[in-house]
Amino acid sequence: MDADVNFYFDPVCPFAWMTSKWVRQVQAQRDYTVDWRFISLRLVNSNVDYDAHFPPEYEAGHTAGLRLLRVAARARAEHGRESMAGLYAAFGRHIFETAPDPAIKHNEAEVRERRGTRGFVEPILAEAGLPRALAEALDDESWDSEIRQETDEALALTGKDVGTPIIHFEPPAGVAFFGPVISRLPDEDSATELWDHVVGLARFPGFAELKRSLREQPQLPALGFTPGTVGKQEDWHGGSRRQKK
């Protein structure tokens, strides 16, 4: 698929989801085409000791993300690349746009693990207009080679010390960068202004990085924040709050 933008996402990453919403704003105004591609945080961290390096809920979350990408890979194979926009949107709505139900008592690891189950995925598939039977791919490791190939493809564009999302502008010859990492969704006018600034900076041949590890938690209902509220600021040193013991 020839697209104006290749967007590499892991469906369980809140920052990828927030950035994807911004990209959709710009897409609607600029009439861009976007190819929604895969990058798996679980595969990126396949050699990492999760117990030593991450908060306790991360392994369950990243594993669920890989399982969801297996479903997405099968959906793409059987229903075309155009099915990815709707499926990723449906994943994001259910994972990030719904506030936690206070009546349901689960710890964070259990909440994240459930995202990789048929009970969670089948209604999402139906909402996206796809067969519920695609959920059979959750446990099908045969899709992992394709997901790893696309993950490696994304990292080859940026280098390995990055996370999600990765955006490739004007592929195949254009530049690619991790991010931008945003915690708030801009308004419609600011969305295209931000896009032009990001692309302009990315196009400068000598540019490599502009970064700060302090981040607000994204303004997403699933994290307890709504538009207009400011999330708690955290230091994402190492890109993902790694906490080596």
Side-chain angles (χ1 to χ4, degrees):
M1 174 181 176
D2 294 327
D4 298 303
V5 176
N6 290 342
F7 189 102
Y8 295 85
F9 71 94
D10 187 307
V12 300
C13 176
F15 291 104
W17 172 244
M18 184 64 81
T19 302
S20 78
K21 295 204 296 180
W22 165 64
V23 168
R24 290 176 195 267
Q25 286 180 311
V26 176
Q27 182 183 15
Q29 296 185 58
R30 296 286 177 84
D31 198 30
Y32 289 146
T33 55
V34 179
D35 189 15
W36 303 95
R37 299 190 176 200
F38 309 144
I39 179 170
S40 167
L41 289 168
R42 189 64 185 84
L43 295 181
V44 168
N45 294 292
S46 59
N47 296 319
V48 171
D49 181 349
Y50 271 82
D51 289 338
H53 287 79
F54 288 108
E57 67 274 10
Y58 267 47
E59 184 169 15
H62 289 179
T63 300
L66 175 58
R67 290 167 65 81
L68 294 179
L69 286 175
R70 291 170 183 164
V71 174
R74 180 176 169 185
R76 187 172 68 181
E78 297 182 5
H79 299 275
R81 304 188 80 89
E82 61 275 10
S83 65
M84 289 300 95
L87 181 57
Y88 182 29
F91 281 152
R93 284 193 296 271
H94 283 262
I95 294 172
F96 299 116
E97 302 297 337
T98 302
D101 185 344
I104 300 176
K105 304 298 182 183
H106 293 302
N107 63 40
E108 185 60 24
E110 291 171 334
V111 170
R112 297 187 184 206
E113 185 175 14
R114 183 180 177 275
R115 294 169 183 165
T117 65
R118 292 189 68 135
F120 182 80
V121 171
E122 287 183 349
I124 292 175
L125 289 166
E127 181 180 308
L130 294 166
R132 291 174 180 261
L134 293 174
E136 295 170 3
L138 286 165
D139 298 307
D140 188 350
E141 295 181 2
S142 69
W143 295 105
D144 291 4
S145 60
E146 179 177 338
I147 297 166
R148 182 176 291 280
Q149 184 276 326
E150 216 147 280
T151 296
D152 291 344
E153 173 185 290
L155 296 179
L157 293 167
T158 60
K160 295 181 179 180
D161 188 22
V162 297
T164 58
I166 289 173
I167 298 179
H168 191 184
F169 307 103
E170 300 172 346
V175 295
F177 278 93
F178 161 52
V181 175
I182 57 175
S183 294
R184 310 180 192 185
L185 192 65
D187 60 34
E188 294 298 323
D189 292 333
S190 299
T192 52
E193 180 182 15
L194 177 60
W195 177 266
D196 290 337
H197 288 318
V198 169
V199 174
L201 188 61
R203 282 176 173 161
F204 176 65
F207 177 71
E209 183 175 40
L210 181 68
K211 182 177 181 179
R212 59 185 174 199
S213 61
L214 292 175
R215 303 181 185 179
E216 298 171 2
Q217 290 182 311
Q219 290 182 347
L220 296 169
L223 302 181
F225 304 102
T226 55
T229 61
V230 177
K232 176 184 175 183
Q233 192 172 80
E234 300 173 319
D235 190 350
W236 281 61
H237 55 283
S240 54
R241 291 192 297 167
R242 292 189 178 186
Q243 48 182 21
K244 187 172 183 179
K245 297 177 182 177

